[in-house]
Amino acid sequence: MKILGIETSCDETGVAIYDDKQGLIANQLYSQIKLHADYGGVVPELASRDHIRKTVPLIQAALKQANLTASDIDGVAYTAGPGLIGALMVGASVGRSLAYAWGVPAVAVHHMEGHLLAPMLEDNPPAFPFVALLVSGGHTQLIKVTGIGEYALLGESIDDAAGEAFDKTAKLLGLDYPGGAKLSKLAEQGNTSRFHFPRPMTDRPGLDFSFSGLKTAAANTINLQKQDLDEQTKADIARAFEDALVDTLLIKSRRALDQTGFNRLVIAGGVSANKTLRSKLAQLMAERKGQVYYPRLEFCTDNGAMIAYAGMIHLKASQFADLAIEVKPRWPLSEL
């Protein structure tokens, strides 16, 4: 059984084909970073227009990569939310229309479930149950996962997501968009003891996050140092910011593991590519004699492979979309 997956929730157009026997057999991705760089962030209308231009050519490229034709496809999965409504509508319209034209089922996939299941694409996938830390530009969530579709929200950000805080702080430091990865690279040269930022909401019980205050602390420090904001000072601020954010994620993840009693941790989403975060979580799980799981770097950011895999799971469970094309810009994972 083979399924085509389409991801168009934000600023990456991803198309992939997953075979339930062979695994991932095609993966195509186009990033809109250059398109949005001049604006310092994603422009929704431009994102939608670019998805219109790129989705069908990427589908054709994926079929060619897998040496398949439309008649070989058993289902079409597409991201139905959450995300930018215009961008979602492009993928959903193309995906649902193709499924109708090809006479195969369509599957509407939750974007965050795709991220949560991305480590299942690896050779050593996690077994259930586990705690999932989903960290991206739009979401920061801790999820209790006991099986496919069995997701309980433990905590989430009440304001900025972790990736959003990374990008906004990077912009304050004068780094080009998207700045999160550039900030982390700069932090490698930073002095760990020069600046210290708060670890938000770690002095109280609970598993929710807040990163707006951390961003403000960084902004105030940058403003105080503006007369002497050389490259080393920028690196020192970047290091203090990254350490504070990573420590916060670490503390909350430890609490979630304690609360659930689980010894497996999955981390996914764009921020899961952060080297410092990976290192500290690996150390945490080693101390607990548990295991931590990540998707490979190419599957940390938005991609069609995770949508194709999640779509295959739902296809086998006969969970199909009807003919109406419906997307959900806001869609709690707990509703699945």
Side-chain angles (χ1 to χ4, degrees):
M1 186 179 289
K2 300 175 181 65
I3 188 167
L4 176 77
I6 302 171
E7 156 60 23
T8 63
S9 65
C10 190
D11 59 345
E12 273 104 12
T13 311
V15 176
I17 300 173
Y18 187 86
D19 186 294
D20 63 345
K21 293 183 175 61
Q22 301 177 63
L24 188 65
I25 56 176
N27 186 42
Q28 299 287 323
L29 183 67
Y30 175 79
S31 173
Q32 299 178 1
I33 285 177
K34 291 182 179 179
L35 175 66
H36 301 289
D38 289 342
Y39 304 95
V42 177
V43 181
E45 178 65 21
L46 295 182
S48 302
R49 292 181 183 183
D50 214 40
H51 287 308
I52 292 171
R53 286 190 288 265
K54 296 295 190 289
T55 302
V56 171
L58 287 179
I59 291 171
Q60 294 170 331
L63 289 169
K64 183 177 181 181
Q65 181 184 357
N67 195 27
L68 301 174
T69 64
S71 61
D72 298 311
I73 300 299
D74 300 295
V76 179
Y78 56 87
T79 302
L84 302 175
I85 187 168
L88 290 169
M89 281 299 297
V90 175
S93 299
V94 172
R96 191 63 194 84
S97 300
L98 280 181
Y100 182 77
W102 293 348
V104 299
V107 182
V109 174
H110 192 292
H111 178 73
M112 297 312 294
E113 184 180 32
H115 276 303
L116 187 153
L117 296 177
M120 301 295 184
L121 292 163
E122 304 304 322
D123 293 334
N124 181 35
F128 299 109
F130 56 78
V131 170
L133 173 64
L134 304 182
V135 277
S136 67
H139 297 83
T140 303
Q141 299 177 326
L142 280 164
I143 310 288
K144 178 182 178 181
V145 181
T146 52
I148 298 293
E150 299 176 6
Y151 313 128
L153 180 66
L154 300 174
E156 62 183 339
S157 178
I158 61 174
D159 42 55
D160 290 354
E164 182 182 7
F166 260 116
D167 286 341
K168 287 181 177 178
T169 303
K171 187 173 183 178
L172 292 171
L173 287 169
L175 303 177
D176 293 336
Y177 172 85
K182 295 180 177 66
L183 185 149
S184 295
K185 184 69 175 177
L186 181 63
E188 293 177 5
Q189 311 301 320
N191 183 334
T192 59
S193 59
R194 184 174 177 188
F195 300 108
H196 181 82
F197 294 148
R199 276 59 175 162
M201 295 181 70
T202 58
D203 59 348
R204 67 190 75 175
L207 294 171
D208 285 337
F209 301 90
S210 171
F211 295 112
S212 63
L214 175 58
K215 180 191 65 182
T216 300
N220 289 339
T221 301
I222 292 168
N223 187 55
L224 288 171
Q225 299 291 325
K226 63 183 179 182
Q227 300 300 324
D228 189 29
L229 196 61
D230 55 22
E231 287 304 305
Q232 186 58 54
T233 299
K234 289 182 179 181
D236 294 343
I237 294 171
R239 182 58 183 267
F241 174 84
E242 182 179 70
D243 284 348
L245 190 145
V246 168
D247 282 352
T248 301
L249 294 174
L250 180 74
I251 291 166
K252 298 287 185 168
S253 295
R254 182 188 294 114
R255 286 184 187 175
L257 292 164
D258 289 341
Q259 180 175 312
T260 60
F262 297 165
N263 67 348
R264 284 182 288 269
L265 176 67
V266 163
I267 173 174
V271 181
S272 68
N274 183 277
K275 293 179 182 178
T276 303
L277 180 60
R278 288 192 173 213
S279 175
K280 290 198 174 184
L281 288 178
Q283 182 180 349
L284 169 68
M285 297 312 293
E287 292 170 354
R288 300 175 69 96
K289 296 182 171 55
Q291 292 177 289
V292 61
Y293 299 85
Y294 314 94
R296 71 193 76 165
L297 292 179
E298 64 187 288
F299 295 152
C300 289
T301 53
D302 296 347
N303 62 88
M306 67 183 191
I307 302 304
Y309 179 83
M312 178 64 75
I313 298 297
H314 292 288
L315 181 64
K316 288 187 171 184
S318 299
Q319 297 172 339
F320 309 143
D322 57 29
L323 282 173
I325 299 173
E326 181 182 7
V327 296
K328 300 179 181 180
R330 296 184 181 275
W331 187 6
L333 192 60
S334 58
E335 289 184 359
L336 293 182

